[in-house]
Amino acid sequence: MDAKDLDRREWLSVIGAGLVVAASLALAWPPAFAAGPIDIKFSHVVAADTPKGKGAAFFKKRAEELTGGKVKVEVYANSVLYKDKEEMEALQLGAVQMLAPSLAKFGPLGVKEFEVFDLPYLFDNYAELHKVTQGPVGKQLLDKLESRGIKGLAYWDNGFKVMSSNKPIRTVADYKGQKMRIQSSKVLEAQMRALGVLPQVIAFSEVYQALQTGVVDGTENPPSNLFTQKMHEVQKHVSVTEHGYLGYAVIVNKKFWDGLPADIRTQLEKAMHEATDYANKIAKEENDLALDAVRKTGKTEVSVPTPQEKAALRKLLVKTHEELGARVGKDLMQSIYKETGFDAGKL
Ligand code: LMR
């Protein structure tokens, strides 16, 4: 056998291997749908014992029941798989199929309109919020994700945020000069700057340590996150300001979703619908219980601002609406005002 023969043989085997790879790639999309269960990896950053964690567990149960085991959902809580920024990339690359990031975390993806939900005092209660998240404005926002290869399935509630710090945060003046952790939202950055606070974006999984080591003095979060991450153990003061809302968009990799067999997709939509009802039903109670639990530990002073203190905070923070209108979209902001009857002058 001469060198030429060897070359030819090698080429043939390379071409053969190439054909095998091409054929298996063709078979792999939609991947593994023909054989075995369809895997959905659902990654999130909070504890299992939170509104989002429980919503994800509920979705898993119903998705597996309704599809008769044709779909297997693996839920990864507490950033065990990916942290904030990484999880978005992982979804787009198809390394995970489902996430429920906070609405404050879509800016880096280029969909800054979601930061509208971060505007201080935009919603007075869940009923006002639901007019947006369960109505046409919410739907239009989810549709904006499609150009990023993402399909938005639902909004899940968490709750209204409290401020926490190792320094007193009773009055507006107290905040000046403090360092506080925020999520990656320009609206939250402006909100903190309006208070004279130095904001610092830190991944959720690193907040406890940042508070413990004094990298930042404080932060903001709904009580369910504060309590389940044990942040209260490293925070001396909590102020129940309820100055803003934190909730989620449940999202999937669009290519994956569109490639699902139609009957499976319908069953998953039903499971998501039920999980959404469930998550949104428990959110307020979970946060009320968490705040009580923080109080009961006696480790943190929990104060509720007086109406005057709240009015002073509101007056200062509502100014950010005008400042950030151009970023989040003035028309969008106005359409939310219209749904909720928002009144900037209200105290
Ligand atoms: C945060 O980073 O504070 C929250 O977005 C975490 C979460 O997912 O609730």
Side-chain angles (χ1 to χ4, degrees):
M1 192 188 298
D2 63 13
K4 250 187 186 164
D5 282 336
L6 262 181
D7 276 347
R8 203 168 43 236
R9 277 203 192 175
E10 276 172 8
W11 270 112
L12 282 175
S13 71
V14 167
I15 290 166
L19 285 175
V20 170
V21 169
S24 57
L25 275 179
L27 284 176
W29 194 260
F33 287 173
I38 298 167
D39 260 332
I40 295 184
K41 289 194 177 70
F42 187 161
S43 170
H44 68 82
V45 299
V46 296
D49 194 17
T50 54
K52 176 160 67 179
K54 289 184 173 181
F58 188 103
F59 172 74
K60 168 188 168 62
K61 183 170 175 290
R62 289 302 286 143
E64 292 178 355
E65 279 170 7
L66 287 167
T67 60
K70 286 196 191 129
V71 168
K72 193 162 156 275
V73 181
E74 292 160 37
V75 179
Y76 298 90
N78 256 325
S79 311
V80 289
L81 217 50
Y82 298 106
K83 297 186 202 173
D84 293 335
K85 204 165 142 297
E86 302 161 0
E87 66 172 18
M88 287 289 199
E89 288 158 9
L91 185 82
Q92 285 180 300
L93 291 172
V96 292
Q97 289 70 38
M98 192 172 280
L99 305 173
S102 134
L103 301 166
K105 291 177 183 166
F106 286 82
L109 206 69
V111 196
K112 26 192 204 305
E113 290 91 337
F114 280 90
E115 292 179 5
V116 78
F117 289 98
D118 299 328
L119 288 171
Y121 295 105
L122 182 61
F123 306 105
D124 277 348
N125 49 51
Y126 286 98
E128 281 186 10
L129 168 82
H130 290 161
K131 286 185 183 158
V132 178
T133 53
Q134 290 166 24
V137 177
K139 163 94 179 61
Q140 277 159 26
L141 270 171
L142 291 182
D143 289 348
K144 286 192 188 291
L145 296 170
E146 305 228 341
S147 63
R148 301 294 189 281
I150 291 172
K151 167 109 187 131
L153 297 181
Y155 290 95
W156 284 3
D157 289 343
N158 190 340
F160 292 86
K161 293 176 284 186
V162 299
M163 292 282 199
S164 67
S165 180
N166 278 318
K167 296 179 179 164
I169 41 173
R170 184 89 214 188
T171 67
V172 163
D174 288 338
Y175 287 92
K176 208 170 165 55
Q178 296 203 26
K179 283 180 287 176
M180 293 186 109
R181 178 267 171 174
I182 55 164
Q183 306 172 81
S184 59
S185 155
K186 295 287 177 216
V187 171
L188 297 179
E189 193 179 315
Q191 167 203 279
M192 290 304 191
R193 288 203 192 281
L195 283 167
V197 162
L198 200 70
Q200 210 166 312
V201 175
I202 298 175
F204 186 66
S205 54
E206 286 155 19
V207 179
Y208 177 91
Q209 208 187 358
L211 295 170
Q212 189 187 36
T213 56
V215 168
V216 286
D217 302 302
T219 186
E220 56 164 15
N221 239 299
S224 62
N225 279 348
L226 179 91
F227 181 66
T228 54
Q229 296 296 321
K230 300 190 195 317
M231 291 181 202
H232 58 287
E233 291 182 0
V234 287
Q235 293 281 262
K236 292 198 181 81
H237 307 275
V238 165
S239 180
V240 188
T241 45
E242 298 182 322
H243 59 283
Y245 169 77
L246 190 154
Y248 311 106
V250 188
I251 56 177
V252 280
N253 178 299
K254 185 169 155 44
K255 207 163 164 190
F256 167 79
W257 192 253
D258 292 345
L260 286 170
D263 56 334
I264 298 271
R265 198 168 47 237
T266 306
Q267 287 151 351
L268 291 180
E269 275 164 3
K270 184 165 164 31
M272 182 51 63
H273 192 78
E274 290 180 20
T276 302
D277 281 350
Y278 168 76
N280 293 353
K281 207 171 96 208
I282 64 166
K284 183 176 183 322
E285 199 193 344
E286 291 284 323
N287 277 295
D288 290 348
L289 289 173
L291 188 61
D292 274 353
V294 172
R295 277 197 181 98
K296 280 195 191 116
T297 63
K299 289 189 176 150
T300 311
E301 179 222 20
V302 178
S303 62
V304 179
T306 63
Q308 288 82 359
E309 284 165 350
K310 206 162 177 178
L313 196 59
R314 192 180 197 278
K315 195 167 167 207
L316 190 77
L317 295 186
V318 157
K319 287 184 193 150
T320 55
H321 289 214
E322 207 166 312
E323 192 188 327
L324 271 300
R327 177 169 170 89
V328 298
K330 284 208 166 85
D331 291 348
L332 172 64
M333 214 165 80
Q334 288 302 331
S335 56
I336 293 182
Y337 285 178
K338 220 169 114 202
E339 292 281 358
T340 63
F342 176 82
D343 172 5
K346 188 181 125 192
L347 289 177

